[in-house]
Amino acid sequence: MKKAPRNQTLTLSPKEIVEYKKRLVTADKLNPAGMTNRIIHGDIFKVAGRFPKNFVDLLFIDPPYNLTKNFGGKMFKKTDAGSYEKWLDSWLSQLVKILKPHASIYICSDWQSTPAVYNSAKKYFHIQNRITWQREKGRSAAKNWKNVSEDILFCTVSKDYKFYPERVRLKKKVIAPYRDNAGNPKDWQHEGGEKFRLTAPSNLWTDISVPFWSMPENTDHPAQKPEKLLAKIILNSSDAGDFVFDPFLGSGTAAVVAKKLGRRFSGVESDLHYCCLAEKRLKMAENDSSIQGLKNGVFLERNAK
Ligand SMILES: C[S@@+](CC[C@H](N)C(=O)[O-])C[C@H]1O[C@@H](n2cnc3c(N)ncnc32)[C@H](O)[C@@H]1O
């Protein structure tokens, strides 16, 4: 089927799949030194036990939520909360050893999966906060409130961790531009007729859009995270050169943003097509390190030009 002219959704030709497949690290040839800046094509349950210790500065985890969902033909089936928690715990418990003492961990979930994530994470980490982010697109339901939010649990290994809120300030339009007695702007700035305030990040993120088909980062992955969301996490909780790891890499968002921001990365994904999409995005990042919604070190409000 022919794509609409503005549809930028990334696709893969059979030739590209052959090429990108060659770059992947396969689970049977897992070599700790060879993992850096590479994608591991495999099952996290099979590879987690073979990772080196103490190498990750930032762990971003976006597992299948407790929903029935088709990931490249493989169904993840909704189960009861207890079974989902056991499933989570079976791999999370194995990932603890890969973390450095000052590492941060961000775990994504929706309202139904959050209790299980919390119960498992509290066994291993200091839970610092729950971030809620608003999806622009909601999932309608005839007899329920439209579901427009997701959670991210922010955890750390210890009480000593990296946190740089000044790198993730949000540029917000000023509604009431108050001035002090001398007539100077009170906590706001103006530029080109625009009145704005650079605000510190809160745990409620309303400036994120899920990738849609006219955005160059969009793929056919059914649960792709926005690059802007990863940029906030990576800039806030790591330094250039740090190691970012994602055990459920999907279309590669965490790896791509880590690369764009000068971090080292690795991740695991069980589906070959998604691994190849991630490789294609990594290749594109070599020529384009822009991140939608992030301009000159400042995050813009949703849909801002
Ligand atoms: C929620 S998606 C991650 C999406 C990703 N954050 C992105 O931006 O594209 C979860 C991914 O985990 C993968 N997955 C499921 N079970 C897995 C396993 N046992 N080992 C590795 N990957 C797995 C799925 O194929 C899916 O792509």
Side-chain angles (χ1 to χ4, degrees):
M1 206 168 62
K2 214 170 165 240
K3 277 204 282 186
R6 285 182 52 236
N7 185 348
Q8 300 202 52
T9 306
L10 288 178
T11 52
L12 291 164
S13 68
K15 198 173 151 217
E16 282 178 316
I17 294 179
V18 172
E19 278 312 303
Y20 291 131
K21 194 177 164 188
K22 287 183 199 159
R23 300 179 194 221
L24 302 172
V25 178
T26 50
D28 55 322
K29 293 198 189 101
L30 193 63
N31 159 8
M35 277 168 48
T36 306
N37 299 343
R38 303 285 295 275
I39 292 176
I40 300 158
H41 175 213
D43 182 331
I44 188 64
F45 289 99
K46 298 206 174 118
V47 295
R50 295 163 56 194
F51 290 144
K53 286 191 184 135
N54 202 24
F55 74 103
V56 170
D57 298 283
L58 174 57
L59 180 61
F60 175 77
I61 313 180
D62 182 18
Y65 299 169
N66 194 10
L67 297 168
T68 296
K69 206 173 194 87
N70 184 348
F71 291 107
K74 202 162 173 214
M75 288 304 262
F76 189 86
K77 289 236 171 71
K78 183 173 168 63
T79 180
D80 60 278
S83 304
Y84 183 72
E85 191 177 317
K86 273 196 194 129
W87 176 80
L88 270 174
D89 200 68
S90 62
W91 49 260
L92 192 59
S93 55
Q94 293 199 60
L95 294 178
V96 177
K97 71 163 198 298
I98 71 174
L99 297 166
K100 289 188 187 167
H102 308 307
S104 296
I105 305 99
Y106 288 80
I107 314 175
C108 303
S109 58
D110 66 347
W111 70 271
Q112 297 189 78
S113 316
T114 300
V117 172
Y118 186 94
N119 287 339
S120 182
K122 74 177 181 203
K123 294 204 263 179
Y124 313 108
F125 309 128
H126 295 262
I127 299 181
Q128 303 288 356
N129 211 330
R130 182 191 70 185
I131 296 160
T132 295
W133 65 280
Q134 187 192 14
R135 302 167 57 92
E136 201 176 11
K137 292 185 220 161
R139 300 178 189 122
S140 292
K143 285 201 160 191
N144 206 336
W145 305 99
K146 191 154 95 172
N147 202 8
V148 293
S149 68
E150 293 193 14
D151 292 334
I152 307 175
L153 215 60
F154 164 45
C155 316
T156 57
V157 171
S158 66
K159 288 186 176 161
D160 186 11
Y161 53 92
K162 297 180 177 181
F163 199 81
Y164 304 110
E166 70 280 6
R167 295 187 191 160
V168 290
R169 286 176 308 168
L170 183 67
K171 186 175 180 181
K172 268 194 163 164
K173 218 183 260 168
V174 177
I175 315 255
Y178 295 117
R179 293 180 183 268
D180 62 19
N181 292 340
N184 299 315
K186 229 176 160 184
D187 302 329
W188 57 273
Q189 306 170 40
H190 47 102
E191 204 176 80
E194 218 188 344
K195 297 185 177 101
F196 61 88
R197 181 175 287 131
L198 294 179
T199 60
S202 73
N203 64 355
L204 181 63
W205 296 358
T206 55
D207 59 312
I208 308 278
S209 300
V210 281
F212 46 91
W213 56 272
S214 59
M215 283 162 73
E217 68 187 76
N218 194 45
T219 74
D220 63 3
H221 191 286
Q224 183 179 346
K225 286 285 180 290
E227 290 189 8
K228 191 181 188 185
L229 182 142
L230 265 299
K232 280 183 196 260
I233 292 172
I234 292 174
L235 284 171
N236 187 82
S237 292
S238 71
D239 287 306
D242 279 356
F243 205 113
V244 178
F245 190 80
D246 180 346
F248 295 91
L249 193 64
S251 64
T253 312
V256 169
V257 178
K259 179 171 177 156
K260 287 183 176 183
L261 297 174
R263 274 66 173 168
R264 292 173 294 148
F265 61 85
S266 184
V268 184
E269 170 55 48
S270 55
D271 182 88
L272 176 65
H273 178 78
Y274 298 151
C275 285
C276 292
L277 276 174
E279 287 290 353
K280 182 164 182 167
R281 293 179 68 193
L282 286 170
K283 180 119 186 50
M284 289 165 64
E286 285 169 15
N287 298 319
D288 181 6
S289 61
S290 65
I291 292 168
Q292 185 276 332
L294 172 61
K295 278 257 148 56
N296 303 326
V298 169
F299 286 86
L300 307 181
E301 284 182 287
R302 180 188 285 157
N303 298 333
K305 288 271 177 270

